[in-house]
Amino acid sequence: MTLMELREVWGNAPLIAAAVGVLIQDEQGRVLLQRRGDDGLWGEPGGALEPGEAFLTGARRELHEETGLDCPNLTLLPLPEGLQDGPELFHRYPNGHEIYIIGMRAHGTLPAAALEQAAPDDSGETLELRWFPLDALPDLSNNANRASLNVLRTRAGLPPLPLAPTPPAPPVGNFLMELRRVIGPRPWFAPGSNVLVTDDQGRLLLLRHGHTRLWTLPGGSLEPGETFAGTAARELFEETGLHAAHLDPLHMFAGPEYRFTYPNGHVVDFVSVLYRAHGVTGTLTPQEGEVLDVGWFSPDDLPGEEELSGELIRANLRWWRTHGDTPDQ
């Protein structure tokens, strides 16, 4: 199911769109922007991921579709500057569709002359392509573009562009459950966060989930307008009663290997940021009905892989054993 197919049954109401923005700079530091076909304004190439797609794969696909160009050194920006999230990334398209953009940013370089070989596809998404100096940007389409270009402006020592006002984020509910009533069990993105909490002996907190009866980390799904860090803090408290004074983003996990099928048949493609909790306070209080058991595990006595709740959690724990508290660089 594509985003446009979902719109046929969901209507204009806000959706969470897992998307990637592509920032390409030339040898002068100028950024490549496209004039968009929907509103005639400018923004970086990019767009929504396809189900099961990794961010870098999506970045390469979107760049080629919207410009006809390929960038050999395209990579995802490190966390946190690579993250897209938050209520300010609300956007209402000219056709009335509303989204909250979440995801990642990719960055690469191409020579200015590469633009001579540009050949956007015939979808009408790209009206024009041009290099722009970071201190002389055109009218930008939305806050996602402004926030992405602010990453480059900050790197260049320039002040950030102001973001346009956006409506308040809706109250936290159960967005994924509401979406399931419309799409059924079909695969769809489940953005969210998981949290590493360790005790003074270096042991990791794991929870046995009430639905799967498998071991997992504190964490859960992101709500419209919520940041990944906000999700991490909220889910940590809901599931354990604990608070973290600070949460460090370590790594984004997304791609076909993180597809998961729940016991009820619902299929999700996880788009998940792993956080490390610092300054944890409170009394460990497992969430009734949601958490069957809790345990503290050293790196050498973690549950077996078959006892863990899917490849995402297995990958999270491999990251912990290999990298500890070191974030992506």
Side-chain angles (χ1 to χ4, degrees):
M1 173 177 258
T2 66
L3 195 58
M4 293 309 296
E5 290 170 339
L6 176 55
R7 282 295 182 189
E8 293 177 6
V9 291
W10 185 259
N12 291 345
L15 284 169
I16 299 173
V20 62
V22 185
L23 297 167
I24 303 294
Q25 291 182 277
D26 70 2
E27 60 269 36
Q28 301 176 47
R30 297 179 301 178
V31 63
L32 180 63
L33 299 181
Q34 62 168 163
R35 190 160 65 86
R36 299 169 54 93
D38 56 1
D39 60 13
L41 300 176
W42 294 84
E44 82 262 34
L49 296 186
E50 297 177 353
E53 192 173 42
F55 279 107
L56 192 55
T57 304
R60 292 178 179 132
R61 175 183 55 77
E62 289 285 346
L63 178 65
H64 189 79
E65 290 174 358
E66 296 180 353
T67 72
L69 300 174
D70 298 305
C71 179
N73 66 358
L74 192 66
T75 57
L76 296 179
L77 286 172
L79 306 184
E81 65 180 0
L83 276 184
Q84 301 191 92
D85 62 3
E88 66 273 13
L89 298 196
F90 170 87
H91 181 58
R92 182 182 293 112
Y93 289 95
N95 63 7
H97 295 170
E98 297 181 347
I99 63 169
Y100 284 95
I101 295 170
I102 63 94
M104 291 289 288
R105 301 179 179 100
H107 180 268
T109 57
L110 286 172
L115 201 53
E116 298 171 8
Q117 279 73 51
D121 64 18
D122 59 2
S123 66
E125 287 188 62
T126 302
L127 301 180
E128 184 183 355
L129 292 164
R130 196 186 304 176
W131 296 107
F132 287 93
L134 291 173
D135 59 357
L137 295 170
D139 290 337
L140 298 173
S141 175
N142 57 56
N143 278 350
N145 300 131
R146 296 182 188 98
S148 289
L149 289 166
N150 280 343
V151 171
L152 298 184
R153 285 173 63 91
T154 298
R155 287 182 167 194
L158 296 170
L161 302 169
L163 301 183
T166 54
V172 172
N174 196 326
F175 175 77
L176 204 54
M177 183 178 295
E178 294 171 11
L179 192 62
R180 283 297 175 191
R181 294 193 183 103
V182 173
I183 68 172
R186 285 177 287 188
W188 196 252
F189 295 102
S193 305
N194 289 325
V195 186
L196 300 175
V197 178
T198 55
D199 64 9
D200 55 8
Q201 300 176 49
R203 298 178 303 172
L204 182 69
L205 175 64
L206 294 181
L207 316 177
R208 191 185 291 274
H209 199 277
H211 299 299
T212 64
R213 298 184 177 273
L214 298 172
W215 290 101
T216 187
L217 290 165
S221 296
L222 182 143
E223 291 287 313
E226 195 171 35
T227 63
F228 285 102
T231 299
R234 175 177 55 78
E235 290 284 350
L236 177 64
F237 178 71
E238 289 176 359
E239 294 186 336
T240 71
L242 302 176
H243 292 277
H246 182 67
L247 290 161
D248 277 336
L250 302 178
H251 185 70
M252 168 69 86
F253 295 83
E257 64 268 40
Y258 303 118
R259 176 165 287 188
F260 183 77
T261 302
Y262 284 98
N264 62 5
H266 292 174
V267 181
V268 296
D269 288 330
F270 285 120
V271 176
S272 180
V273 179
L274 180 64
Y275 284 87
R276 173 67 165 95
H278 298 277
V280 176
T281 57
T283 301
L284 181 57
T285 309
Q287 184 179 9
E288 187 174 352
E290 188 81 7
V291 178
L292 297 180
D293 194 10
V294 300
W296 295 93
F297 297 87
S298 70
D300 298 327
D301 68 356
L302 290 168
E305 293 212 342
E306 70 284 354
E307 298 180 83
L308 299 174
S309 182
E311 179 55 28
L312 174 63
I313 298 302
R314 289 192 283 268
N316 286 171
L317 298 190
R318 286 196 296 269
W319 178 273
W320 176 60
R321 285 196 298 259
T322 304
H323 298 88
D325 293 345
T326 304
D328 280 338
Q329 298 296 325

